[in-house]
């Protein structure tokens, strides 16, 4: 049953007091001592960090965030950036649709809003790549709106605090409603970040540190001795396995053939070696998709796991002279590992290299 014994003001007060002394120091965050004085972070920084943090850890995002700001310190600068450069700088962060939407969103903010992010959730939701969580986070953190910010960390805190036994993802609407009952009007951005910090550092998925949790006295799951088992989750469906062939073509001077993938679809807009389609069952007939007729040499196969499937990729290698190379579509990279390739393509290139 939902925990209705704690008033909104008491819960928020405890969370904010804890945040004032325990907030994580993050490059996109305004420290609580400053935010209490009314200082708010740059909406551009909040938006950029939140897009990067989608399904990605804070540790992985920090260097990318700082690099993007170094290259494009304003949303106007990012909107004017070449797509190929943005995609290359995003390489390795994964979920590449985020990078395409990042550029679309920057252009929309500049063209439709004069370079200023809108403040209201409804308007933020109209921006490319901005969903309900991201819109709420920007509204609360950047503009001080009492938006209900719910990510995986917050869902976990709410499920335990209220001892919600409905499995995820079915519990998501109820958990958001419960989070709404506790969201304060005062310092909503700091409160949202406090909840996320609590879930990331104390109310963790495994072995939660209940002994040092600021809301432990009122947590229903802790009282019942069930904090570690919540939230419940439905069994995940088994990921299918797809198979394909990657073609590593090396020119006589050591340069490697790369092609840019179509904008739409997996790894859209990213550079990589040519490949067959990826499909379940046997790999497609390589000869129908090879970039040229050549004496192909099988090398070490590679594997990679995406969100929705596992990939098994054979890697075939061939060497060509300068005359043949001129007839091939694509671009030649003297340093393919420095060309901003996504992780799976880096694996394929490393497999194709002679060591």
């Amino acid at each position: 049953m939902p925990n209705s014994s704690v008033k909104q003001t008491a819960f928020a007060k405890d969370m904010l007091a804890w945040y004032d002394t325990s907030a994580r120091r993050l490059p996109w965050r305004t420290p609580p001592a400053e935010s209490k004085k009314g200082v708010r972070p740059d909406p551009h920084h909040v938006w950029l960090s939140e897009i990067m943090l989608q399904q990605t850890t804070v540790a992985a995002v920090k260097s990318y965030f700082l690099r993007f700001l170094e290259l494009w310190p304003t949303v106007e600068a990012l909107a004017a950036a070449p797509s190929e450069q943005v995609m290359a700088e995003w390489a390795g962060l994964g979920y590449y649709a985020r990078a395409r939407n990042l550029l679309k969103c920057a252009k929309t903010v500049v063209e439709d809003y004069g370079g200023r992010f809108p403040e209201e959730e409804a308007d933020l939701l109209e921006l490319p790549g901005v969903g309900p969580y991201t819109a709420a986070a920007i509204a609360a953190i950047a503009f001080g709106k009492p938006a209900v910010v719910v990510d995986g960390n917050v869902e976990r805190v709410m499920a335990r605090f209220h001892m919600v036994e409905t499995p995820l993802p079915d519990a998501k609407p109820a958990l958001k409603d419960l989070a709404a009952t506790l969201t304060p009007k005062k310092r909503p951005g700091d409160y949202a970040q406090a909840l996320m910090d609590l879930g990331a550092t104390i109310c963790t998925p495994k072995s939660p540190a209940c002994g040092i949790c600021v809301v432990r006295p009122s947590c229903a799951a802790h009282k019942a001795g069930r904090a570690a088992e919540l939230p419940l989750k439905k069994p995940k469906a088994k990921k299918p396995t797809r198979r394909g062939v990657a073609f590593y073509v090396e020119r006589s001077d050591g340069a490697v053939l790369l092609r840019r993938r179509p904008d739409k679809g997996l790894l859209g807009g990213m550079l990589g070696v040519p490949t067959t389609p990826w499909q379940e069952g046997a790999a497609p007939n390589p000869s129908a998709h090879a970039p040229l007729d050549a004496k192909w040499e099988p090398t070490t196969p590679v594997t990679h796991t995406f969100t929705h499937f596992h990939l098994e990729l054979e890697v075939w290698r061939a060497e060509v002279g300068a005359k043949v190379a001129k007839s091939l579509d694509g671009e030649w990279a003297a340093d393919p590992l420095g060309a901003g390739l996504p992780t799976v393509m880096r694996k394929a290139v490393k497999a194709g290299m002679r060591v």
Side-chain angles (χ1 to χ4, degrees):
M1 293 294 292
N3 182 355
S4 58
S5 63
V6 177
K7 294 182 179 180
Q8 175 196 68
T9 52
F11 184 87
K13 182 179 179 180
D14 288 342
M15 288 302 309
L16 287 168
W18 174 77
Y19 183 73
D20 287 343
T21 60
S22 305
R24 290 180 292 175
R25 293 184 177 274
L26 302 173
W28 49 82
R29 180 178 284 181
T30 297
E34 295 182 27
S35 63
K36 288 168 72 174
K37 299 176 184 177
V39 178
R40 293 197 182 115
D42 187 329
H44 170 60
H45 296 184
V46 177
W47 161 73
L48 179 61
S49 66
E50 291 297 343
I51 297 299
M52 288 184 167
L53 286 165
Q54 292 171 6
Q55 303 185 68
T56 309
T57 65
V58 167
V61 163
K62 285 182 181 179
S63 62
Y64 283 87
F65 174 82
L66 294 172
R67 175 64 174 165
F68 265 66
L69 286 189
E70 178 185 350
L71 291 170
W72 306 294
T74 65
V75 69
E76 290 88 352
L78 181 57
S83 174
E84 294 80 4
Q85 187 181 5
V86 173
M87 298 302 291
E89 291 297 334
W90 191 277
L93 201 55
Y95 304 99
Y96 293 97
R98 293 181 297 168
R100 296 194 296 274
N101 283 327
L102 191 80
L103 196 51
K104 290 179 185 177
C105 184
K107 293 179 185 294
T108 300
V109 170
V110 170
E111 294 170 3
D112 296 350
Y113 294 93
R116 296 176 61 88
F117 279 84
E119 299 187 14
E120 303 298 330
E121 279 186 81
D123 295 325
L124 289 163
L125 276 169
E126 295 298 318
L127 298 176
V130 175
Y133 161 75
T134 305
I138 297 171
I141 298 169
F143 299 111
K145 304 290 184 180
V148 184
V149 184
V150 181
D151 69 351
N153 286 315
V154 176
E155 287 178 344
R156 187 165 57 256
V157 172
M158 291 296 110
R160 289 170 175 171
F161 186 78
H162 294 284
M163 204 163 79
V164 175
E165 297 182 83
T166 304
L168 288 169
D170 295 349
K172 283 179 176 288
L175 294 174
K176 185 169 184 177
D177 289 343
L178 290 168
T181 67
L182 298 174
T183 300
K185 294 182 179 179
K186 181 181 179 181
R187 298 177 62 192
D190 282 353
Y191 169 80
Q193 292 173 108
L195 268 184
M196 289 187 279
D197 277 10
L198 189 78
T201 64
I202 292 178
C203 195
T204 51
K206 297 180 180 179
S207 303
C210 297
I212 58 173
C213 179
V214 66
V215 296
R216 176 191 63 178
S218 303
C219 178
H222 172 70
K223 290 179 180 178
R226 299 185 59 195
E229 69 181 78
L230 296 176
L232 300 176
K233 296 181 181 180
K234 284 185 173 180
K236 289 185 179 180
K238 185 179 179 181
K239 288 184 180 181
T241 297
R242 298 181 187 176
R243 296 173 177 84
V245 178
F247 302 99
Y248 180 93
V249 183
E250 185 175 302
R251 199 169 58 187
S252 52
D253 63 356
V256 175
L257 178 66
L258 300 177
R259 288 179 176 173
R260 194 166 298 280
R261 296 173 67 87
D263 285 339
K264 293 185 178 180
L266 193 63
L267 306 182
M270 300 297 294
L271 279 174
V273 295
T275 76
T276 67
W278 303 339
Q279 65 186 33
E280 293 183 44
N285 181 2
S287 61
H289 303 280
L292 75 160
D293 291 328
K295 184 178 179 181
W296 293 100
E297 172 191 352
T299 69
T300 306
V302 299
T303 60
H304 189 76
T305 297
F306 292 95
T307 305
H308 301 298
F309 66 93
H310 301 293
L311 176 65
E312 295 179 357
L313 202 59
E314 298 176 30
V315 181
W316 288 14
R317 172 192 167 90
E319 297 180 8
V320 298
K323 184 177 180 180
V324 173
K326 287 182 180 179
S327 67
L328 300 178
D329 294 330
E331 57 187 82
W332 294 90
D335 177 21
L337 293 178
L341 303 183
T343 302
V344 65
M345 293 300 178
R346 289 178 62 85
K347 291 180 180 179
V349 166
K350 287 180 180 179
M353 288 179 168
R354 291 196 184 277
V355 294

